[in-house]
Amino acid sequence: MGQRVGALTAVFQLALTSGGFGATPGFVEAAVKPGERWTRHPVRLVADLPAALVSQIDTNLSPYGGLRARRQPATGFFYPAKISDRWWLVDPEGCLF
């Protein structure tokens, strides 16, 4: 079938902070397969966006990734909940996944 670029065997090493594995901050090093040569690629972070774009980001998600529109009692912990014959994961703030 041929070689697929970006296969599931891709390995990534994030180096976003100084001193991280000897890499340069703001770059990611990646190899398509284990044992192959690593190549550096620049990264773009939300912190690098202009302030006007950052202020427009409204995902309507909790800090844990749950839906703010669907709520259950907040316990401070993740827990499962069965609601109308469906199981949900509830985040510490009570938002459903």
Side-chain angles (χ1 to χ4, degrees), residues 7-40:
L8 295 177
T9 57
V11 179
F12 295 101
Q13 174 189 3
L14 293 176
L16 301 176
T17 59
S18 61
F21 303 106
T24 307
F27 286 88
V28 63
E29 294 179 356
V32 175
K33 292 183 180 178
E36 287 189 358
R37 188 174 64 86
W38 291 79
T39 56
R40 286 183 39 197

Side-chain angles (χ1 to χ4, degrees), residues 54-71 91 93-97:
V54 174
S55 65
Q56 293 176 2
I57 297 174
D58 181 19
T59 60
N60 203 21
L61 299 177
S62 73
Y64 300 99
L67 302 171
R68 290 188 190 264
R70 308 273 320 254
R71 295 247 180 189
D91 73 14
E93 292 184 355
C95 302
L96 300 180
F97 276 85

